[in-house]
């Protein structure tokens, strides 16, 4: 019984394969239109900072040279604790406002803050500042300016200088949020799902009797005989008879159309 149900399910989809193909093609066309016209390309640019040796803003002339060449364990511990604080400081309102004024950009402070992502590279004292913008060159300028203003702000607030720029941000001309192939494939998969749902729902709602098997299921009886459809077509002096057991009369008439043309050609 299970094998019969699987066959019927396969037959149900196979008989409507043209509809499935059409729905998938329409979905993929919508995907092309969406990815080309509805998605605004955004570009990311990142700069990397490291928390290094802690130097006082006014260093003493009596400091030993060997102490200046190495980072002590206490400094590493302090830097590790400051990473989370620095990450929040980078996105503070005052710092973002200063960056906006320095660059003289018309981007709102809220939009500028939301475009900035600050992350700590795992198990390190490295901080990565990433900026997303529709202009790749502006994105790199914002990232570099944030790093510069942040370094000055740390020295101003904590009276120490331990922030060093490792990698400056450079423009990336490839948008990170646009992937045409991925979008088209995704919409194609959605088309397959929608077409499958349409066919299943259509067959569940369709209660018409299509063949003898349907009649057996409804009446719970066995068919003893099958009376074929007999269609007689008279064309001139010719008599054409089409007989089909499982097809409907409309399908037989459609099948008779090529015969009609053959007789008159």
């Amino acid at each position: 019984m299970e094998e019969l149900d699987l066959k019927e399910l396969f037959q149900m989809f196979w008989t409507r394969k043209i509809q499935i193909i059409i729905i998938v093609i329409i979905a993929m066309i919508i995907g092309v239109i969406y990815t080309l016209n509805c998605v605004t390309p955004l570009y990311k640019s990142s700069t990397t900072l490291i928390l290094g040796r802690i130097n006082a803003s006014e260093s003493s002339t009596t400091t030993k040279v060997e102490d200046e060449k190495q980072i002590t364990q206490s400094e590493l511990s302090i830097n590790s604790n400051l990473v989370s604080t620095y990450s929040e400081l980078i996105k503070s309102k005052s710092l973002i406002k200063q960056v906006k004024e320095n660059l003289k950009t018309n981007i709102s402070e809220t939009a500028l803050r939301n475009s900035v992502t600050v992350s700590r590279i795992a198990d390190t004292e490295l901080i990565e500042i990433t900026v997303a913008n529709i202009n790749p060159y502006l994105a790199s300028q914002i990232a570099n300016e944030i790093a510069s203003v942040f370094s000055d702000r740390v020295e101003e607030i904590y009276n120490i200088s331990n922030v060093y720029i490792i990698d400056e941000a450079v423009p990336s001309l490839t948008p990170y949020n646009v992937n045409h192939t991925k979008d088209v494939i995704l919409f194609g998969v959605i088309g397959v799902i929608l077409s499958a749902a349409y066919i299943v729902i259509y067959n569940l709602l369709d209660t018409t009797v299509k063949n003898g098997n349907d009649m057996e299921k409804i009446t719970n009886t066995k068919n003893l005989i099958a009376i074929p459809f007999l269609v007689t077509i008279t064309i001139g002096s010719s008599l054409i008879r089409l007989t089909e057991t499982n097809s409907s009369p409309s399908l037989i008439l459609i099948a008779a159309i090529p015969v009609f043309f053959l007789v008159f050609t």
Side-chain angles (χ1 to χ4, degrees), residues 50-55 71-87 120 124-127 154 160-164:
I50 187 172
L51 305 187
R53 178 175 176 79
I54 300 177
N55 296 321
I71 302 177
T72 64
Q73 186 63 35
S74 61
E75 288 175 332
L76 288 175
S77 178
I78 293 173
N79 287 340
S80 179
N81 294 331
L82 285 175
V83 168
S84 57
T85 303
Y86 283 0
S87 298
R120 176 185 180 181
T124 67
E125 279 70 50
L126 294 176
I127 299 177
V154 168
I160 58 175
S161 177
N162 68 331
V163 178
Y164 304 93

Side-chain angles (χ1 to χ4, degrees), residues 175-217:
Y176 77 91
N177 64 329
V178 175
N179 189 327
H180 300 307
T181 303
K182 179 181 177 181
D183 291 340
V184 173
I185 293 176
L186 177 62
F187 273 84
V189 173
I190 294 175
V192 172
I193 296 174
L194 290 178
S195 60
Y198 159 73
I199 292 174
V200 170
I201 295 174
Y202 177 84
N203 280 272
L204 289 176
L205 298 178
D206 186 10
T207 58
T208 59
V209 178
K210 304 177 184 64
N211 50 48
N213 293 331
D214 292 342
M215 183 62 69
E216 289 182 359
K217 290 181 180 180

Side-chain angles (χ1 to χ4, degrees), residues 54-241:
I54 300 177
N55 296 321
S57 58
E58 295 181 359
S59 55
S60 173
T61 57
T62 61
T63 305
K64 295 182 179 180
V65 175
E66 53 271 17
D67 291 338
E68 295 178 350
K69 292 183 178 179
Q70 59 183 358
I71 302 177
T72 64
Q73 186 63 35
S74 61
E75 288 175 332
L76 288 175
S77 178
I78 293 173
N79 287 340
S80 179
N81 294 331
L82 285 175
V83 168
S84 57
T85 303
Y86 283 0
S87 298
E88 294 300 322
L89 179 60
I90 291 173
K91 298 188 68 174
S92 64
K93 293 182 179 180
S94 59
L95 191 144
I96 294 296
K97 181 179 180 180
Q98 184 64 48
V99 171
K100 173 180 168 62
E101 292 176 354
N102 292 350
L103 294 177
K104 295 181 175 58
T105 178
N106 56 359
I107 304 175
S108 65
E109 293 182 18
T110 302
L112 186 58
R113 187 182 303 108
N114 293 336
S115 68
V116 178
T117 303
V118 182
S119 58
R120 176 185 180 181
I121 300 177
D123 301 325
T124 67
E125 279 70 50
L126 294 176
I127 299 177
E128 185 178 60
I129 303 174
T130 303
V131 177
N133 195 275
I134 59 175
N135 187 329
Y137 299 97
L138 181 58
S140 62
Q141 291 176 4
I142 294 174
N144 289 327
E145 187 63 25
I146 288 176
S148 177
V149 174
F150 168 67
S151 180
D152 296 339
R153 189 62 59 86
V154 168
E155 186 173 351
E156 176 186 337
I157 296 175
Y158 293 97
N159 199 32
I160 58 175
S161 177
N162 68 331
V163 178
Y164 304 93
I165 299 176
I166 301 299
D167 296 317
E168 289 189 351
V170 294
S172 174
L173 302 181
T174 302
Y176 77 91
N177 64 329
V178 175
N179 189 327
H180 300 307
T181 303
K182 179 181 177 181
D183 291 340
V184 173
I185 293 176
L186 177 62
F187 273 84
V189 173
I190 294 175
V192 172
I193 296 174
L194 290 178
S195 60
Y198 159 73
I199 292 174
V200 170
I201 295 174
Y202 177 84
N203 280 272
L204 289 176
L205 298 178
D206 186 10
T207 58
T208 59
V209 178
K210 304 177 184 64
N211 50 48
N213 293 331
D214 292 342
M215 183 62 69
E216 289 182 359
K217 290 181 180 180
I218 295 174
T219 61
N220 199 24
T221 57
K222 199 72 175 177
N223 291 335
L224 299 179
I225 60 172
I227 302 175
F229 293 109
L230 179 61
V231 178
T232 301
I233 303 175
T234 304
I235 304 176
S237 59
S238 301
L239 183 63
I240 301 174
R241 290 184 177 181

